[in-house]
Amino acid sequence: MVDVLTAPQHVKADSSLRTLAGISVAHWVSHFHIFVLPMLFPYLKAQLGVGYIELGFALTVFGLVSGLTQAPIGYLADHIGARKVLLIGLTVGGLALIMLGMHLSYRSLIVCAALLGLANSVYHPCDYAILSTHMDEARMGRAFSIHTFAGFLGGAVAPAIMAALVAWVGGLGALIVAGAVGPVVALLLIAVGIPDASSADRKTDGAAAPRQSVITSAIIMLTFFFMLLGLSNAGISNFGVVALMSGYGVTFSAANIALTAFLGAGAAGVLAGGYLADRTTRHGQVAAACFGINAVIMLVIATTTLPSVVLTAAMGIAGFLGGVIAPSRDMLVRNAAPPGAAGRAFGIVSTGFNFSGILSPLLFGWIMDQHLPHWVFGASVAFMVLTVLLALITDRKPKTRAEGPVTNLEPRF
């Protein structure tokens, strides 16, 4: 009798693990594909006979398309099912790179960047919709953290993988192999039976949940919150090394070590943040506390010249706390999303990241052109303070969620 009762629990646990693993692999692909073109810029520049401005324009196209299509893709995912949209996105992104590898030209590069931007827009709405529906409520924060960590890992290993592919099969072959990863992972998700998620999955007494507007004040505030998060981190990630070298007399190696500490500790912080997010309902306060400390750390870096060891330690602490915020950030969005609208909610708020990706290179590039390297960190402090205020405003007591499985039969992550 005990075996009969526990069998469904084991089946459900296995299904949950497969879902989390599959969605995390998809997120790994999304970040890996983001870095494929930048890693091949030297090769593309030589083959196409263009400058870095023209290559940079391709990334601008990527960012614009991804930013403009995030919200519509979220609506589509809730309407026809997140699983279908995710599989299409993986395939389209992969075929875009394969196409460029088979027919290399500047026009093909721009088309490839646009298609990659469109493909990139599916991951957050679809991934979070599926996880929100099929993960155990008590371990949702840890599920989000593993998903986010997988994305960090995809970006971290992209340079090494692309360098190895170029040495092995050449630039065109590297594009084709990198692109093939997308359809292969799509087939993998089909094979393991990744479940679907849409507004039709949300039932109330046997009936579909009533339609609700997803454009709420909380969602609008969270979109700005995501944009400020992106702006506060982008300056440090993209211009931190040159700012430290030109404004603080830090050597190239020391500056890179400090940035590596910031990025590496951030990945570790994401996993720690998942456990924290599962043990509190005050996700906005968690985010505010972490970014409040980060603002103080960055203010010290902006206004003083620290020894290399102290600078590296400070950057590592700031990176770790920045990573801790990620699962709480995602829980804020999930709590603010109306029933059956997780795809739309995450699609809308994720546009904040895309807009920060468009604005930050212009802003921090202008700061560096004005020979104000200290303001790379100073501007980050200002954005962090605004982020703290918005985090406190958007912090709401989570509503009781009845739109997904909330049993405690899932495995512990």
Side-chain angles (χ1 to χ4, degrees), residues 9 95 173:
Q9 300 181 24
L95 292 179

Side-chain angles (χ1 to χ4, degrees), residues 55-142:
L55 295 175
F57 177 70
L59 298 186
T60 299
V61 170
F62 171 91
L64 284 172
V65 172
S66 185
L68 293 174
T69 56
Q70 285 268 358
I73 289 296
Y75 278 88
L76 184 65
D78 284 336
H79 181 65
I80 70 171
R83 180 177 181 268
K84 301 181 186 71
V85 178
L86 177 59
L87 295 175
I88 292 171
L90 283 163
T91 304
V92 169
L95 292 179
L97 291 169
I98 293 173
M99 174 203 71
L100 183 61
M102 297 178 66
H103 181 71
L104 185 62
S105 68
Y106 185 70
R107 178 177 296 180
S108 296
L109 174 63
I110 299 303
V111 173
C112 175
L115 291 175
L116 280 175
L118 178 62
N120 183 67
S121 69
V122 313
Y123 293 103
H124 277 195
C126 297
D127 289 4
Y128 284 114
I130 293 172
L131 292 177
S132 293
T133 302
H134 297 284
M135 292 295 104
D136 176 24
E137 187 78 24
R139 301 177 183 90
M140 191 65 66
R142 277 166 282 181

Side-chain angles (χ1 to χ4, degrees), residues 10-371:
H10 289 302
V11 171
K12 194 170 185 63
D14 291 343
S15 175
S16 178
L17 279 176
R18 286 198 306 271
T19 298
L20 178 58
I23 295 302
S24 296
V25 170
H27 200 215
W28 183 96
V29 173
S30 77
H31 282 250
F32 172 67
H33 277 176
I34 286 173
F35 284 93
V36 167
L37 293 181
M39 293 305 102
L40 291 177
F41 271 1
Y43 171 81
L44 294 173
K45 183 176 185 295
Q47 293 295 312
L48 298 176
V50 297
Y52 284 113
I53 292 178
E54 288 84 356
L55 295 175
F57 177 70
L59 298 186
T60 299
V61 170
F62 171 91
L64 284 172
V65 172
S66 185
L68 293 174
T69 56
Q70 285 268 358
I73 289 296
Y75 278 88
L76 184 65
D78 284 336
H79 181 65
I80 70 171
R83 180 177 181 268
K84 301 181 186 71
V85 178
L86 177 59
L87 295 175
I88 292 171
L90 283 163
T91 304
V92 169
L95 292 179
L97 291 169
I98 293 173
M99 174 203 71
L100 183 61
M102 297 178 66
H103 181 71
L104 185 62
S105 68
Y106 185 70
R107 178 177 296 180
S108 296
L109 174 63
I110 299 303
V111 173
C112 175
L115 291 175
L116 280 175
L118 178 62
N120 183 67
S121 69
V122 313
Y123 293 103
H124 277 195
C126 297
D127 289 4
Y128 284 114
I130 293 172
L131 292 177
S132 293
T133 302
H134 297 284
M135 292 295 104
D136 176 24
E137 187 78 24
R139 301 177 183 90
M140 191 65 66
R142 277 166 282 181
F144 284 166
S145 71
I146 292 170
H147 169 264
T148 301
F149 178 79
F152 276 44
L153 184 61
V157 301
I161 291 177
M162 293 309 298
L165 286 175
V166 170
W168 180 37
V169 293
L172 297 180
L175 284 167
I176 294 172
V177 174
V181 172
V184 168
V185 171
L187 291 174
L188 175 65
L189 297 188
I190 294 173
V192 301
I194 291 297
D196 205 354
S198 69
S199 56
D201 296 326
R202 306 300 197 264
K203 305 288 184 179
T204 304
D205 297 328
R211 293 180 62 86
Q212 300 182 47
S213 173
V214 74
I215 308 296
T216 63
S217 59
I219 293 296
I220 293 172
M221 296 297 283
L222 283 166
T223 303
F224 284 105
F225 177 63
F226 271 51
M227 184 177 70
L228 290 171
L229 275 175
L231 287 170
S232 62
N233 287 320
I236 300 169
S237 299
N238 297 330
F239 292 89
V241 171
V242 293
L244 288 171
M245 291 175 63
S246 62
Y248 300 83
V250 178
T251 64
F252 177 73
S253 60
N256 273 284
I257 290 172
L259 181 60
T260 299
F262 178 80
L263 298 175
V270 167
L271 294 178
Y275 284 89
L276 180 60
D278 283 336
R279 285 163 172 74
T280 181
T281 59
R282 308 307 294 180
H283 304 294
Q285 292 182 8
V286 170
C290 290
F291 253 51
I293 297 172
N294 272 5
V296 174
I297 293 173
M298 288 302 155
L299 182 61
V300 171
I301 294 175
T303 55
T304 61
T305 300
L306 300 174
S308 294
V309 174
V310 178
L311 173 64
T312 300
M315 292 282 283
I317 294 171
F320 182 84
L321 292 174
V324 168
I325 292 169
S328 291
R329 170 204 75 191
D330 297 336
M331 292 297 290
L332 282 171
V333 181
R334 184 173 185 267
N335 290 336
R344 282 169 283 171
F346 277 100
I348 291 170
V349 300
S350 293
T351 60
F353 277 146
N354 294 110
F355 288 131
S356 72
I358 295 169
L359 295 174
S360 61
L362 301 176
L363 172 62
F364 289 100
W366 178 83
I367 288 174
M368 288 303 299
D369 283 342
Q370 301 304 309
H371 307 291

